[in-house]
Amino acid sequence: MIANSSGTSHNRSRKPKEQCGSCPNRFSKDRRQAAAEDSDTTEVESSTDEEERWKEVARAAEIPADYYNIQKLVKYIKAGNQTATIVSLCCLKDYDLSTQINQFAISDIGGLDVLVNILECSDTKCCLGALTVLSDITLNIDIRKTIVDLDGIPLIVDILNSSMKDLKTMAAETLANVCKVRLARKYVRTCGGIPKLVDLIDIKLSILKTPRDQLSADDLESLDMTRAGARALFSLADSKHNMEQMRKSGIVPLMAQLLKSCHIDVVIPIMGTVRKCSSEPKFQLAITTEGMIPDIVTHLSSENTELKMEGSTAIYKCAFDGSTRELVREAGGLEPLVTIIKDKNVRDNKPLLRGATGAIWMCAVTDANVKVLDQLRTVNHLVALLNDECDEVLTNVTGALSECVRFQSNREYLRQAGGLPAMVSLLNSSHAPLLENLAKGLKECAEDPESMRILEDLDAVRLIWSLLKNPTARVQAHAAYAICPCVRNANDSAELVRSLVGAMELVVGLLKSKDIMVLSAVCAAIATIAQDQTNLAILTDLKVIYKLADLVQTTDDLLRMNLAAAVAACACFGNNTEELGRLRTVTPIVTYMTSDNPLVHRSTAMALEKLSMDPQNCITMHQSGVVPFLLECIGSTNKELQLAAAGCLRNIRELALRAEEYLLKIDDD
């Protein structure tokens, strides 16, 4: 029987393609088309020229005797009977099949076709032997691709239906390797393999919590099968389509259970799967609701660096949600994260460092977490990482610092630790996310007078201003916001702005941006710069009010707030008030009072007060129904809003009184 199944292996390509029961359409589409449809992977599979050259060198090197011995065994498998096939497969396992030359020996003589062909036979021992060999040699990327090309995936997936645990284990181990190829991941999904693999990880909690040396032989088989299934699912989770299929197959509660295991070799792949899946919003919610966070936090203290990396990265991805950040703190997760970043032995492990610093960054968004981080002297440890050479690590570090320095005490810690010069020097970077976080952090630092003096000495304002030229919108926006406290708190802010050649032209030019966040930030910067009359005169010459007038129809509250503040700052120069009225900006600005945001009310009232200095604008305001809104604002607890609303009402009332007096005078005449 085996001789027949093996001997026909070379004729597989000449046979008409038969449809597989678990994958009815596996031959109906071109492979290139299938690959294009599954393009959601993050992995690049094509071999580089360097790899090809290396392989040629490896083949040209002195060929060991094992190469020829392995090829003899493959010939026996091709021509032998059932017993010879099993014996030959067992003998193959005596060689180190993880070495590339031995893998070449099998593939060069057509052994892969033979091994895949054996998977179609009904003899479980032969299948097990073939899978055992395949699980070793599929560490090679080219062999993985060949297995896919030989239509081996549906055959391996069919074996997952077997009742034999060891057979399913080896099938899952092989899939764990082969599914590092994108097309293989698609085939496993379309063949219905994902639910079968999810079933493999459904194991009793008692087995997971019992040390290996205390388990029975049957429980050990179950544990090995679970580990293999977890590894396969870890490889499959590189595809978004697969992640969704895994979620629908009920993987979430099983992942939560496996995280409680005492077996590290089971926890690592399942933690990796959690890490990959945590990039999806549906999984983020499920990870929180299934109570996985405490278990993830527990593994942060593991001695296994890979496990710590997967766990910290999972927290990094999940902690965008406020409730998750709370759970991390309550589970005591901040302490091990800080322990990781202050360990000097971790500096060379960039994936772990990225995960830990990213998790700290996200957790620091919550004020209560910052207080805990302060007790752990986290700012000092973060400053020590500002000399790291990895842009992603630096992005996370500066992001964490930008959240911490929202509090004055941490601005002092950062200044005392010498963090400001290091941050300013990083402004010369070209990595956009890093520049964004630097601008956010320096904006907060500029609110501290002593820190501002240091920033001035380091010429930081010029560097921040230059970020407005960055092509990334978010960098532009945060740079514009950072300019506000820098200008406001500088020793001679007016002269500082004028000393920067082309600075105001650059700011006004950004009012043409299509990005709402950029427009809002630039308006805030203009409102600050225009506090100086000389600067306001320059802005007016640059036609700033015309560009502001083009934006007044916005419905975005943040832009409304800063745009109204810019109008209020610019309106009081020359005939800007009258010109803004002529440009029909009054009525749209009045509509801002319908916003639910009290900050919008404040800046709008300030703008209306300035605009009401022109009689025609007062008439327009009154006709637009502004009076009830202003009367309501007078009752506000915000003094600036009260004064602005009262000032605007006074101007409207004075105009009305003058008009009434004028009419009475006409009547008397």
Side-chain angles (χ1 to χ4, degrees):
M1 176 187 63
I2 298 303
N4 291 335
S5 66
S6 301
T8 59
S9 61
H10 294 294
N11 297 323
R12 287 170 60 85
S13 59
R14 293 193 293 272
K15 284 185 177 182
K17 296 293 186 179
E18 297 179 0
Q19 291 193 346
C20 166
S22 59
C23 184
N25 298 315
R26 80 178 209 216
F27 300 118
S28 63
K29 293 185 179 180
D30 184 84
R31 293 184 190 283
R32 293 180 182 177
Q33 180 183 352
E37 291 177 359
D38 198 43
S39 58
D40 61 340
T41 183
T42 57
E43 183 179 351
V44 178
E45 291 296 341
S46 58
S47 298
T48 63
D49 292 338
E50 184 178 349
E51 288 175 336
E52 295 297 332
R53 287 195 298 271
W54 185 90
K55 280 184 247 178
E56 292 302 322
V57 172
R59 290 174 188 273
E62 184 177 353
I63 299 177
D66 286 354
Y67 179 90
Y68 299 105
N69 294 335
I70 289 173
Q71 291 199 332
K72 287 180 183 178
L73 290 172
V74 174
K75 290 179 182 178
Y76 291 148
I77 296 174
K78 287 183 178 181
N81 56 24
Q82 181 174 344
T83 303
T85 300
I86 295 173
V87 172
S88 299
L89 288 169
C90 292
C91 290
L92 269 182
K93 283 296 294 176
D94 291 336
Y95 293 92
D96 184 4
L97 298 181
S98 63
T99 61
Q100 199 146 20
I101 190 65
N102 290 346
Q103 294 165 357
F104 287 153
I106 295 175
S107 61
D108 288 351
I109 201 171
L112 297 179
D113 204 328
V114 176
L115 292 170
V116 171
N117 198 25
I118 291 174
L119 299 180
E120 291 186 284
C121 76
S122 58
D123 189 279
T124 55
K125 290 182 179 179
C126 289
C127 285
L128 182 60
L131 284 171
T132 303
V133 174
L134 286 171
S135 66
D136 284 343
I137 64 176
T138 47
L139 295 170
N140 183 298
I141 185 172
D142 293 298
I143 290 179
R144 295 172 194 158
K145 292 178 179 178
T146 304
I147 299 299
V148 176
D149 292 339
L150 292 171
D151 300 314
I153 298 299
L155 301 176
I156 300 172
V157 170
D158 280 343
I159 291 173
L160 294 175
N161 294 321
S162 170
S163 59
M164 295 180 60
K165 292 181 181 178
D166 53 353
L167 202 56
K168 291 193 286 188
T169 298
M170 295 316 301
E173 289 283 3
T174 305
L175 287 176
N177 294 333
V178 179
C179 286
K180 291 176 182 176
V181 177
R182 182 180 63 190
L183 195 55
R185 295 194 287 270
K186 178 179 176 63
Y187 282 168
V188 170
R189 181 177 73 251
T190 56
C191 290
I194 290 179
K196 298 174 185 177
L197 289 168
V198 171
D199 287 342
L200 295 189
I201 66 172
D202 190 358
I203 187 173
K204 295 178 182 178
L205 185 60
S206 59
I207 298 177
L208 293 173
K209 292 191 172 184
T210 304
R212 183 176 283 272
D213 55 5
Q214 298 177 19
L215 292 173
S216 65
D218 186 60
D219 288 345
L220 280 173
E221 278 193 340
S222 298
L223 185 63
D224 289 339
M225 184 176 68
T226 297
R227 184 196 68 242
R231 288 189 64 242
L233 291 167
F234 174 59
S235 297
L236 287 165
D238 277 324
S239 163
K240 290 182 180 179
H241 297 303
N242 287 352
M243 282 192 278
E244 180 60 18
Q245 186 67 45
M246 288 156 60
R247 188 185 66 82
K248 291 179 178 178
S249 300
I251 195 176
V252 175
L254 297 177
M255 289 195 303
Q257 178 170 287
L258 291 182
L259 287 177
K260 301 180 185 298
S261 174
C262 64
H263 305 285
I264 298 298
D265 56 349
V266 174
V267 176
I268 289 176
I270 211 66
M271 184 73 83
T273 307
V274 171
R275 185 257 302 170
K276 290 179 180 179
C277 293
S278 59
S279 59
E280 296 298 306
K282 291 180 180 178
F283 269 101
Q284 290 173 359
L285 177 62
I287 287 168
T288 302
T289 54
E290 286 291 336
M292 294 189 208
I293 297 299
D295 293 316
I296 295 174
V297 167
T298 299
H299 292 299
L300 291 177
S301 301
S302 169
E303 294 182 359
N304 187 290
T305 55
E306 184 180 359
L307 187 54
K308 290 194 287 189
M309 181 274 291
E310 300 286 10
S312 58
T313 307
I315 291 175
Y316 175 24
K317 291 183 176 181
C318 290
F320 285 92
D321 177 65
S323 60
T324 303
R325 295 194 291 269
E326 299 284 344
L327 289 172
V328 172
R329 184 185 72 253
E330 292 169 1
L334 298 176
E335 290 81 357
L337 288 172
V338 175
T339 300
I340 291 172
I341 68 166
K342 71 179 183 181
D343 184 357
K344 293 183 179 180
N345 296 323
V346 173
R347 299 296 171 85
D348 293 331
N349 189 337
K350 300 307 177 187
L352 175 55
L353 200 56
R354 281 198 300 267
T357 52
I360 291 173
W361 173 19
M362 288 298 103
C363 289
V365 174
T366 298
D367 292 354
N369 288 350
V370 176
K371 294 180 180 179
V372 177
L373 293 172
D374 289 349
Q375 296 170 3
L376 300 170
R377 298 179 59 81
T378 306
V379 170
N380 296 71
H381 300 309
L382 291 171
V383 168
L385 294 173
L386 286 173
N387 60 355
D388 197 273
E389 66 278 4
C390 177
D391 283 341
E392 292 175 334
V393 171
L394 290 172
T395 299
N396 294 344
V397 169
T398 52
L401 286 172
S402 69
E403 296 297 338
C404 290
V405 296
R406 291 182 291 117
F407 299 90
Q408 175 59 29
S409 59
N410 285 330
R411 296 170 191 160
E412 295 173 3
Y413 294 148
L414 178 66
R415 186 178 69 248
Q416 293 166 3
L420 288 175
M423 291 179 71
V424 172
S425 66
L426 291 173
L427 287 171
N428 294 307
S429 169
S430 59
H431 190 58
L434 171 58
L435 295 174
E436 179 185 336
N437 286 343
L438 284 169
K440 289 167 63 178
L442 293 174
K443 169 185 174 291
E444 300 295 341
C445 292
E447 299 286 0
D448 174 46
E450 292 187 45
S451 297
M452 187 61 216
R453 301 291 81 76
I454 296 175
L455 293 178
E456 285 186 277
D457 294 340
L458 295 170
D459 198 23
V461 179
R462 178 182 61 80
L463 293 172
I464 294 172
W465 215 295
S466 68
L467 295 183
L468 296 177
K469 299 177 183 178
N470 192 282
T472 306
R474 291 186 64 85
V475 174
Q476 294 174 349
H478 286 289
Y481 278 127
I483 286 170
C484 299
C486 288
V487 171
R488 190 167 53 246
N489 297 322
N491 278 329
D492 189 351
S493 59
E495 185 57 35
L496 173 65
V497 174
R498 290 193 291 274
S499 68
L500 302 173
V501 179
M504 282 185 273
E505 290 88 340
L506 185 57
V507 171
V508 174
L510 283 176
L511 288 175
K512 296 179 181 178
S513 173
K514 302 297 183 183
D515 189 275
I516 292 291
M517 188 177 180
V518 172
L519 293 173
S520 175
V522 170
C523 286
I526 289 172
T528 306
I529 296 168
Q531 298 302 316
D532 176 76
Q533 287 298 301
T534 305
N535 289 344
L536 178 54
I538 297 172
L539 290 172
T540 301
D541 291 340
L542 293 171
K543 310 292 185 182
V544 69
I545 61 170
Y546 295 94
K547 293 182 172 61
L548 294 175
D550 290 339
L551 303 175
V552 293
Q553 298 294 341
T554 181
T555 57
D556 183 84
D557 272 357
L558 185 59
L559 178 53
R560 282 177 166 183
M561 178 180 71
N562 291 324
L563 176 58
V567 168
C570 296
C572 56
F573 182 83
N575 66 339
N576 285 355
T577 303
E578 295 86 344
E579 192 65 16
L580 285 166
R582 189 186 68 78
L583 293 169
R584 298 182 179 180
T585 62
V586 176
T587 300
I589 291 176
V590 169
T591 63
Y592 296 179
M593 300 299 286
T594 60
S595 169
D596 295 328
N597 190 335
L599 295 177
V600 176
H601 297 165
R602 186 191 66 175
S603 60
T604 302
M606 294 169 66
L608 292 174
E609 182 189 16
K610 301 296 183 184
L611 291 171
S612 66
M613 302 299 291
D614 176 63
Q616 185 58 46
N617 289 346
C618 285
I619 295 171
T620 305
M621 288 179 201
H622 191 274
Q623 291 174 342
S624 301
V626 76
V627 173
F629 292 109
L630 294 174
L631 289 172
E632 184 177 347
C633 289
I634 289 177
S636 170
T637 56
N638 187 299
K639 290 187 177 181
E640 287 183 324
L641 177 56
Q642 283 181 335
L643 291 172
C648 187
L649 283 172
R650 179 195 62 205
N651 293 335
I652 294 173
R653 182 58 183 157
E654 283 182 356
L655 177 62
L657 288 173
R658 287 199 299 270
E660 187 177 344
E661 290 173 359
Y662 178 74
L663 292 174
L664 289 173
K665 184 177 181 181
I666 292 176
D667 290 341
D668 290 342
D669 292 343

